[in-house]
Amino acid sequence: MSGERSSKTTSQNSWEADDDVGMVNPSGPQEPVIHREDEIEEQQNEDEEEEDFEEEEDDEVSRTQSQPVGVEEVQVASPDESRCLHCCHKVLRGIRALWATRETEDTKENRELHVKTTLRELCVFIVFLVVLCIVAFGMTTTMTYYYTSAVTELFIQEPFAPSSTFADIGNAEDWYQYALGPLMKGLYKKMWPDQKNQTNGIVLFDSMLLGVPRLRLIRVRNDSCEVHEDFRNLITTCYGVYSPENEDTRPFGPMNGTAWTYQTDTELDGFKHWGEFGVYGGGGYVQDLSADEATSRLWIESLRDNGWLERGTRAVFIDFNLYNANINLFCVVRLLCEFPATGGVIPSWTLRTVKLIRYVSTFDEVVMACECIFVLFIAYYIVEEALEIKRHRWRYFPSFWSILDLLIIVISICCISFNIFRTIMVNKDIESKVNEGAGKFVDLDEVSYWQLVFNYTLAITVFLAWVKLFKFISFNKTMTQLSMTLGACAKDLVGYSVMFFMVFVAFAQLGYLLFGSEVEDYAKFETCIFSQFRILLGDFNFDDLEKANRILGPVYFVLFVFFMFFILMNMFLAIIIDTYSEVKAELSHRKNDFEMTDYFKRGYQKMLDKLNLRRKKAVTVQKSMSSNKRVDYHEWHKDLKRRGYAEAEIVAVCSKYDLDKGHVLTAAEVRKMQADLDRKKRTSDNNHDKDGLDSLDDSDEDTSSVKSSLRRMSGGGVSHEEFSVLQRRVDRMEHSIGSIVSKIDAVLVKLENMEMGRAKRREDLTRLLDSIAESEGITDESKQHYMERLVRDELERWDSESCISGFDPSPASSSSGRGSGRERRPTSNPPEYPPSNHS
């Protein structure tokens, strides 16, 4: 065995020695020897390791044969088990690849992997976005708006007196007129002839009244506020603003029914309501109306006669629920009239048109399937973000896209929770309340509220998901300009925003204090802020400000427009435009982040290789030659150009086979070309790696390289010997190129010095001639002697400078030489001429 290994080593060394023959080594004769010695030592180490492994294997076999029966032994995996383990490893790698992203993989060095990972991540996210949009838009239709508009027109815009609607209610008597007029008319009169036997009321001909309407009253106590001591003798009652502490829970009036006895929110299963003047609880004094219009009218008249609405009243609710089976929509209606402590009535209304029963039609079942897929996607992204956090740890959180991913996941989990909670509540309310009978009130206020919360949360999720698309479209310069502009000017915008809001809030406080008591748009501080934003957009009411104060109103308006619009808003636009120009200039000189075109071209070529389509190039070349006779170059050139071949390919092939350079391929040359094409087609059938005319220009002399390429294409890889030889060749080439580049640099430095010296000499000669020509009043002989002396001095100085700077060709010495040359240049005027005989 050792003999075989030694012979193997000898043959390996001799092969490497043969490979070194003919290689030019400009750096000296020692480098190949060093490389060969390293390779021999490396090969000897490998042989020793192989020998040790074989000895250990022999020892293992001997121990196995000598092991007694009954003792457990460690068995070596069989080929089947190895294949099974290999398959399991592949499966695990495939599962891990499902969560491969740019943040979990090392894609900075591998550009193709970077593009491939980004495309896969983009495709998965697009599928998630489509599913999310189906879930979001599957529970709302345009019918929602029209249904809400119809109910609003019936109960809000229906007049009960000349030019008076629900929005115009101003006192308790107006409320009674509305309740006995438009409310009764809308709840009990709109039905078709075939709906006369309906036990439930019919509204708008097609909507069913679920249960009965309910009236609910909230009052405050008489001692809920304190009268000033100067007026206590005149004012004996005081009803303050509403608060849970001031709410009155004592019976009042006849005290003979629920309308006069207080019930808590637990007893009524009520839900809180956020009104104009406070948050009202779910309890109160309630009166459920009847399914019959006449009975309901009697009860409302009885409430009016007994003074149900009096000074302590702070809010009156009218609640009822409608269901339209044609469009499967619920409309939860709440009409609220608030009686503030200031007097008067502030009416408001809330109409929640929601789809509580979700899965009825076929499309609803599709939406249900998409909801299940949505849950799976959220679980997928949770694992993905967990892997990214594990990999980057605290570096994960400063990224904007990472925070956006976490926000989408958190909001999506909230959507899933809301959906489950809403489904449970709907099933409980529909089964326990709607099916109990027509004489009871069905409270769907809470479940409709949570349905709206679910809709709002899902809408925010859709918005953030569309924003996340900017993360994947950075492969185009145009698409990256917006994100790069916002990122580049973020710091400037933060500083500007601080200054902007300081001035903005100052003007808001000024407007609230000046006009809060007279102008509706400035009655609250928050409405002042929105009113000022409307001024910036050109929506304002200057007449109201002028009526409130004829001097301060116009002054406030002019100052606000000048500082906020003409100065601060234009500064904001200047920051954006300036940053956009810089980003655009930067992107004009930058290469695209993703070369998507090259990636798709490479994928297309691989697909052609797998489908065995590229072999057709050789076939088309054969078809271009009609027979084995003589082929004219110009005709064949035109034929190949029509088939899509490049000029360089055609010229290369013709120069190879046109041996006599006559621009005509003889019959022998044509037969040789066709034989090469036949051989090329057979090779392409097996390897799918050759390319028509390119193969005709390949050299047939390098047989070993062709065999190596075939082995690599067949999956054999590159052997260690070939890799060592190639590495050695690359090292030599790098060393040769380095020495050549250094010599070229030295030559360039010398040429630069010569050019500078030539320019300096030209300048000195020009100066000498100018000085001689300008001299007057001397003889020609004096000029001649003086010129000879100056020229001799200049020549001696040139010789000294060339001797000093000529020995060091490096750039440093040349630059220093140039500097010293400038220092030696005479700075004073040339010496005066000797006095002439005439002088």
Side-chain angles (χ1 to χ4, degrees), residues 302-316:
S302 174
L303 294 177
R304 180 174 60 180
D305 296 339
N306 291 282
W308 197 54
L309 302 181
E310 42 91 46
R311 289 189 60 187
T313 301
R314 288 295 173 261
V316 179

Side-chain angles (χ1 to χ4, degrees), residues 170-189:
N171 50 54
E173 185 61 29
D174 291 344
W175 185 89
Y176 285 119
Q177 291 183 13
Y178 170 79
L180 293 172
L183 183 63
M184 294 294 104
K185 183 180 178 181
L187 289 175
Y188 298 105
K189 290 295 184 181

Side-chain angles (χ1 to χ4, degrees), residues 126-280:
I126 288 177
V127 175
F128 167 75
L129 186 60
V130 171
V131 172
L132 179 60
C133 290
I134 294 176
V135 173
F137 293 100
M139 58 187 177
T140 181
T141 61
T142 55
M143 293 294 105
T144 304
Y145 168 76
Y146 293 113
Y147 192 28
T148 305
S149 299
V151 176
T152 302
E153 183 178 357
L154 179 62
F155 292 100
I156 307 301
Q157 300 176 2
E158 183 72 17
F160 61 87
S163 66
S164 295
T165 62
F166 178 80
D168 299 324
I169 294 177
N171 50 54
E173 185 61 29
D174 291 344
W175 185 89
Y176 285 119
Q177 291 183 13
Y178 170 79
L180 293 172
L183 183 63
M184 294 294 104
K185 183 180 178 181
L187 289 175
Y188 298 105
K189 290 295 184 181
K190 304 295 183 180
M191 63 177 60
W192 296 104
D194 58 349
Q195 297 174 337
K196 296 297 183 181
N197 298 326
Q198 289 283 347
T199 57
N200 297 81
I202 300 299
V203 179
L204 290 173
F205 298 101
D206 289 303
S207 297
M208 183 178 66
L209 180 63
L210 300 179
V212 296
R214 167 174 287 182
L215 308 179
R216 182 163 62 96
L217 174 68
I218 293 180
R219 305 171 68 247
V220 294
R221 298 190 311 271
N222 184 13
D223 58 349
S224 56
C225 59
E226 185 177 357
V227 181
H228 194 270
E229 58 183 8
D230 295 338
F231 294 93
R232 286 177 183 175
N233 296 329
L234 301 176
I235 302 175
T236 58
T237 59
C238 183
Y239 296 88
V241 297
Y242 172 79
S243 66
E245 294 79 12
N246 296 334
E247 187 174 358
D248 190 3
T249 60
R250 297 170 297 180
F252 74 104
M255 295 184 290
N256 57 357
T258 57
W260 312 97
T261 305
Y262 183 84
Q263 300 181 56
T264 63
D265 53 357
T266 305
E267 296 173 345
L268 297 176
D269 195 16
F271 195 64
K272 293 183 178 181
H273 181 84
W274 188 3
E276 187 73 18
F277 295 96
V279 179
Y280 302 98

Side-chain angles (χ1 to χ4, degrees), residues 210 330 356-357 422-438 440-444 447:
L210 300 179
F330 290 83
L356 299 179
I357 303 177
R422 177 202 54 81
T423 304
I424 295 174
M425 291 191 64
V426 167
N427 294 334
K428 181 185 67 174
D429 291 341
I430 297 298
E431 294 179 1
S432 62
K433 295 181 179 180
V434 176
N435 298 326
E436 286 180 356
K440 295 184 178 180
F441 173 72
V442 178
D443 189 5
L444 298 179
V447 66

Side-chain angles (χ1 to χ4, degrees), residues 761-810:
R761 294 188 186 97
R762 190 182 298 111
E763 182 182 355
D764 293 340
L765 290 176
T766 303
R767 178 174 53 79
L768 290 175
L769 293 176
D770 292 341
S771 62
I772 295 173
E774 292 175 357
S775 61
E776 297 179 357
I778 61 175
T779 62
D780 294 339
E781 184 178 359
S782 299
K783 288 184 178 181
Q784 181 177 0
H785 289 296
Y786 182 66
M787 182 184 297
E788 290 178 355
R789 183 163 56 85
L790 291 179
V791 170
R792 191 179 300 107
D793 294 339
E794 289 293 333
L795 290 177
E796 291 177 356
R797 184 165 60 85
W798 292 349
D799 293 338
S800 62
E801 289 179 358
S802 61
C803 293
I804 294 174
S805 61
F807 293 103
D808 190 3
S810 62

